[in-house]
Amino acid sequence: MTFSIVAREGEAYGVAVASKFLAVGAVVPGARVGVGAVATQSWARVAYIPELLGRLEAGEPADSALDSVTAMDPGGATRQVGVVGRESAATVTGDECTPWCGGVARVGDGDSAYAIQGNILVGPEVVAAMERAWLDSAGVTLPQRLLAALVAGDAAGGDARGRQSAAIYVVEPGAGYDRSGVAADLRVDDHADPVTELRRLLDEWEMYFGRPEDVRPLEGDLAAEVGHLLERVGRSPGEHGVEAALVAWAGEVNYESRLAPGGIDRRVLEALRASAAAGPAADR
């Protein structure tokens, strides 16, 4: 009833999942900073998540950990699970999972690994499309790579019963709000087009909580432009200067995670330009 990808990119671990099932993000994904990530589906056993993460943290490779927990589970034949650890990846599809069902797991040549799996799918083309999308999206952030794979699986037909929910959960040291390690934690619990909605939410999440990117120094013509834009949105630099006014504006619109001392993030600049074009009311 579900298709998912579990992956590692550098120090980041995460899961993206979609299903014709209410609130799939409440059941399937789990991850731990510096340890690994897990997706439990089909007749999901949520207890697999802490059990598998605990084994990974103790140094057990993904395939061994997965063999151990499923062997001890009387319902193991009904389970489908993907696991990625520091240097390992594994997926298992029980004999009693509903077709089409299956998966693929690999440790990449670079600093990455993935496990892709699904059940009650339109066919194996869903997993194949997800794998191609993962491989073709190298170079972007892990949340964006996971989303690319999920979008590809959805476009290939996804869950044979239709669409209802989707989720993405990614952890990475120093990421996210207050840099606590959650790089993305988003759920679309009940929606006609959940994967498309998840893509919109991820773009918003990265705007609010992402690290500064393409930072340009607040100097010369750019400083003058930013000062003018701030005046347009009712945040005149006045005697405190452009950077102080920018900090005040960013705090009001919740972009403070993207602030960079002495400079301005590319996406913050784009947002400020759009707000200035719309007028002061856009920020109030």
Side-chain angles (χ1 to χ4, degrees):
M1 62 184 179
T2 304
F3 55 101
S4 67
I5 175 169
V6 186
R8 174 179 62 82
E9 182 75 24
E11 293 186 292
Y13 295 89
V15 181
V17 57
S19 182
K20 179 65 172 72
F21 186 84
L22 181 70
V24 70
V27 176
V28 171
R32 187 178 299 169
V33 175
V35 175
V38 176
T40 173
Q41 55 200 53
S42 186
W43 292 94
R45 183 173 183 269
V46 179
Y48 276 171
I49 295 174
E51 290 172 1
L52 286 164
L53 291 174
R55 287 177 175 271
L56 292 174
E57 192 163 26
E60 193 170 350
D63 54 354
S64 173
L66 196 46
D67 287 346
S68 297
V69 300
T70 53
M72 294 185 293
D73 177 12
T78 68
R79 320 291 189 197
Q80 187 174 54
V81 192
V83 187
V84 169
R86 294 185 185 94
E87 299 177 353
S88 60
T91 185
V92 66
T93 298
D95 292 341
E96 296 178 19
C97 290
T98 306
W100 187 90
C101 54
V104 59
R106 291 193 176 89
V107 177
D109 294 334
D111 196 16
S112 67
Y114 60 90
I116 301 169
Q117 47 281 314
N119 61 91
I120 319 185
L121 303 185
V122 297
E125 61 269 26
V126 176
V127 169
M130 293 175 72
E131 185 175 28
R132 283 195 303 272
W134 167 264
L135 296 172
D136 290 347
S137 61
V140 301
T141 64
L142 180 58
Q144 290 292 347
R145 288 192 80 178
L146 293 172
L147 180 66
L150 204 67
V151 168
D154 187 59
D159 191 320
R161 301 165 308 157
R163 300 176 172 95
Q164 188 169 5
S165 65
I168 187 165
Y169 185 65
V170 178
V171 297
E172 182 179 10
Y177 182 74
D178 81 358
R179 306 305 179 210
S180 59
V182 179
D185 184 4
L186 296 166
R187 286 171 38 177
V188 179
D189 286 345
D190 190 14
H191 197 280
D193 192 0
V195 174
T196 298
E197 176 65 2
L198 187 65
R199 176 161 50 186
R200 183 190 70 81
L201 290 175
L202 181 60
D203 187 64
E204 289 291 304
W205 175 282
E206 291 189 337
M207 182 64 201
Y208 285 116
F209 305 124
R211 293 184 174 98
E213 55 187 281
D214 301 328
V215 176
R216 296 170 58 188
L218 276 172
E219 300 171 352
D221 291 344
L222 180 60
E225 179 194 1
V226 170
H228 174 69
L229 295 171
L230 289 165
E231 288 180 357
R232 291 268 301 158
V233 297
R235 313 292 190 275
S236 176
E239 64 182 61
H240 299 293
V242 172
E243 186 169 2
L246 177 62
V247 169
W249 174 78
E252 291 188 13
V253 295
N254 297 319
Y255 296 157
E256 57 267 29
S257 289
R258 284 191 168 270
L259 290 174
I264 186 167
D265 165 269
R266 172 183 57 81
R267 292 186 65 174
V268 171
L269 179 58
E270 291 171 357
L272 179 57
R273 285 170 172 162
S275 293
D283 294 321
R284 301 187 189 281

